[in-house]
Amino acid sequence: VQLVESGGDLVQAGGSVRLSCVASGFAFGDYAIGWVRQAPGKQREGVACISGMDGSTYYATSVKGRVTISSDNAKNVLYLEMNNLNPEDTAVYYCAADFSAFRPRRLGRLNLVGVVESALRSQGTQVTVSS
């Protein structure tokens, strides 16, 4: 399994960023895949996840309404578009797959928990939001 994130940037508060994650080594459409972030000195936090099976999504309350997760199963690419960024969004962003649930449907909080537990095994991409 290999996950390679990109797209992180230094942006001003109120700006936007689009992150990408290219995955390989597993069937993209069979699992929930998502984004996790970790700010300095803080625990990792699940941001959002999407089911490769039915396209359902689940968002953390802290980002709901500002973030859109999407995927291109044919290309094994995961995206995260973040708008109206604020300094609290500053973190390293990682993508990860939850292998504990096969072909999940109607994602919920536990799927995001599963993504969080398997995260931080790739290099991540840094998003820094200046005020």
Side-chain angles (χ1 to χ4, degrees):
V1 173
Q2 187 174 20
L3 302 160
V4 180
E5 303 91 343
S6 63
D9 203 354
L10 170 62
V11 297
Q12 289 189 334
S16 300
V17 69
R18 190 188 195 210
L19 308 181
S20 300
C21 171
V22 179
S24 61
F26 65 100
F28 205 68
D30 285 342
Y31 302 97
I33 327 147
W35 292 92
V36 177
R37 65 186 181 185
Q38 187 164 35
K42 295 187 177 180
Q43 291 188 337
R44 68 183 78 174
E45 176 190 18
V47 177
C49 58
I50 184 168
S51 167
M53 185 64 185
D54 66 359
S56 60
T57 57
Y58 183 82
Y59 294 92
T61 303
S62 59
V63 300
K64 205 167 187 178
R66 300 188 296 119
V67 166
T68 302
I69 188 171
S70 60
S71 66
D72 184 335
N73 287 6
K75 296 181 180 179
N76 279 17
V77 181
L78 179 70
Y79 302 101
L80 185 73
E81 182 158 353
M82 302 178 66
N83 301 306
N84 195 21
L85 288 162
N86 59 67
E88 289 69 41
D89 294 315
T90 295
V92 179
Y93 285 73
Y94 303 86
C95 63
D98 175 18
F99 294 110
S100 67
F102 185 66
R103 295 183 178 176
R105 297 177 183 269
R106 293 181 295 178
L107 297 193
R109 185 183 64 83
L110 290 180
N111 297 106
L112 188 57
V113 171
V115 171
V116 171
E117 290 177 348
S118 64
L120 275 66
R121 296 177 185 177
S122 50
Q123 90 282 359
T125 188
Q126 175 73 48
V127 174
T128 303
V129 184
S130 63
S131 57

